[in-house]
Amino acid sequence: MVRATIAAAAVVLIAAGCARPTGSAPDAAESDLPREALDFQVEGWKTDFAKRTVPLSEFRSGGPPRDGIPPIDSPRFVPVAEVDYLRAQEPVIELIVHGQARAYPIQILIWHEIVNDTVAGASVAVTFCPLCNTALVFDRRVDERVLDFGTTGKLRHSDLVMYDRRTESWWQQFGGVGLVGDYAGARLERIPSRIVAWRDFATQHPNALVLSRETGFERPYGSNPYQGYDDVDSPPFFAVPNEDDKRLAPKERVVFIARGDDSVAVPYSTLERKRVVRVAVGGERLVIRFRRGPVSPLDEAAVAEGREVGAAEVLRDGRLVEFDEPFWFVVAAFRPDVRVIR
């Protein structure tokens, strides 16, 4: 049932997107590249596929073509007081830069996955991968250049693969690492953010701005093309490495923290029971707190009925630091050596 739902979602997203780019056949001089690189070049990619940190065979089509899930490049915002399209417990990404707060509703991000924005003078990419439940914010500056990001239409380990328009390098959303092209091996700097309930954001930041539904695209904002996908025991739609890791259910949400080679995952079931968990990761001593409020961004019925799943915040010396709240299968795929704290 879930696989059928996601397949239907892919059809919806393809129909909502743009036409697949086309290109000419590769030159004979490029014939020493892997078969996948030649296929990608025929699609129109100008990426330098000779530069890569992972096998090209690990990329697969997610359904929509390049920018078929279109990023928002010229985001519009409205004041908190004028928002009438969000329910009280609906999840939003809260971002605070230099004291300036903004909210990015998941009901909009689920249809676009990337917002290229500037907040308090800082160039940021606000991203959300519905298949992994990963909401991450990055600094768009690399080597003193400001990059704009789009969606490749590809997945790696079921996670969003982004590209920058300057070099058409491919980037993994989970971790913000450059995988293919001129920026292979580079890493985007994370900016701390968290998912909160709309009601809480509006109460705490009454003078803030909120991403508007006026995106320049026609999308059924407020509806969910991934309904049922977040069932805790269901496998990911696409095969991933280590999906047989039974330490947790495939789609149990976890608080994931990585500092260099050290990483920990705290299941939400543990965090909700304990409320506060203290961990040491990569030499940092952190406090993880459970917060009531938001509902699952991937459960339309829960949004309508207000069935909350809660959220988390990770603090160091009382200040929010970067962390993630993905499904377990994502962590098992990318960081199989992770420590699970129960």
Side-chain angles (χ1 to χ4, degrees):
M1 180 63 182
V2 171
R3 290 179 182 268
T5 300
I6 305 304
V11 173
V12 172
L13 293 169
I14 291 172
C18 57
R20 180 179 294 275
T22 58
S24 56
D27 296 332
E30 299 172 327
S31 60
D32 59 335
L33 290 174
R35 176 72 257 172
E36 295 87 358
L38 305 184
D39 292 340
F40 297 151
Q41 288 175 333
V42 169
E43 292 176 6
W45 289 101
K46 299 177 182 178
T47 311
D48 186 348
F49 292 103
K51 300 175 181 177
R52 55 189 184 272
T53 61
V54 298
L56 297 182
S57 59
E58 291 186 355
F59 298 97
R60 62 169 301 159
S61 172
R66 170 171 28 184
D67 289 332
I69 300 176
I72 299 175
D73 294 317
S74 300
R76 299 178 182 179
F77 295 86
V78 295
V80 164
E82 296 181 12
V83 173
D84 60 1
Y85 47 89
L86 294 173
R87 294 183 173 96
Q89 290 173 287
E90 199 164 336
V92 301
I93 300 174
E94 175 193 77
L95 176 64
I96 303 175
V97 179
H98 301 315
Q100 187 176 126
R102 289 191 182 176
Y104 301 82
I106 296 297
Q107 66 158 252
I108 299 177
L109 264 295
I110 205 170
W111 292 96
H112 295 281
E113 300 190 359
I114 300 172
V115 179
N116 292 299
D117 197 9
T118 302
V119 184
S123 300
V124 302
V126 181
T127 71
F128 178 68
C129 178
L131 295 182
C132 295
N133 196 52
T134 42
L136 308 174
V137 180
F138 302 101
D139 188 327
R140 292 194 283 126
R141 294 173 301 170
V142 180
D143 295 335
E144 303 303 320
R145 294 178 171 179
V146 176
L147 304 180
D148 294 325
F149 291 92
T151 59
T152 61
K154 311 298 181 185
L155 299 171
R156 178 173 174 265
H157 303 345
S158 206
D159 180 58
L160 163 66
V161 178
M162 314 181 293
Y163 78 98
D164 70 80
R165 296 191 180 113
R166 181 181 290 272
T167 69
E168 296 196 6
S169 297
W170 291 10
W171 300 78
Q172 189 85 59
Q173 187 238 13
F174 187 85
V177 180
L179 302 176
V180 183
D182 291 347
Y183 284 122
R187 184 180 295 272
L188 298 172
E189 181 182 346
R190 284 279 303 278
I191 298 177
S193 62
R194 61 182 180 178
I195 292 179
V196 301
W198 162 243
R199 175 185 57 203
D200 294 338
F201 181 90
T203 299
Q204 296 170 16
H205 308 288
N207 299 316
L209 295 177
V210 184
L211 182 64
S212 168
R213 281 179 165 183
E214 298 298 320
T215 62
F217 300 93
E218 292 293 330
R219 297 292 186 274
Y221 300 121
S223 64
N224 180 10
Y226 301 91
Q227 183 64 27
Y229 177 74
D230 62 346
D231 177 80
V232 67
D233 292 318
S234 67
F237 182 66
F238 298 101
V240 297
N242 304 313
E243 58 184 323
D244 58 347
D245 189 323
K246 303 300 184 183
R247 283 181 285 175
L248 297 170
K251 290 183 184 151
E252 176 157 4
R253 292 192 310 145
V254 302
V255 174
F256 174 70
I257 306 168
R259 300 292 186 268
D261 294 332
D262 193 14
S263 63
V264 299
V266 181
Y268 255 77
S269 55
T270 297
L271 184 59
E272 185 173 11
R273 184 180 74 252
K274 292 186 174 181
R275 300 291 164 158
V276 177
V277 175
R278 290 176 170 81
V279 298
V281 190
E284 294 185 16
R285 294 186 178 278
L286 306 173
V287 177
I288 308 172
R289 292 179 179 170
F290 180 79
R291 295 168 55 89
R292 302 201 68 84
V295 300
S296 168
L298 299 177
D299 190 335
E300 192 171 336
V303 172
E305 298 170 12
R307 297 198 309 270
E308 64 183 44
V309 294
E313 62 182 8
V314 179
L315 307 171
R316 182 182 63 236
D317 299 327
R319 298 174 65 92
L320 186 71
V321 298
E322 67 271 16
F323 69 102
D324 195 5
E325 302 172 77
F327 294 129
W328 164 246
F329 80 80
V330 185
V331 178
F334 285 99
R335 298 295 295 260
D337 59 342
V338 67
R339 290 181 286 130
V340 177
I341 299 176
R342 299 179 187 272

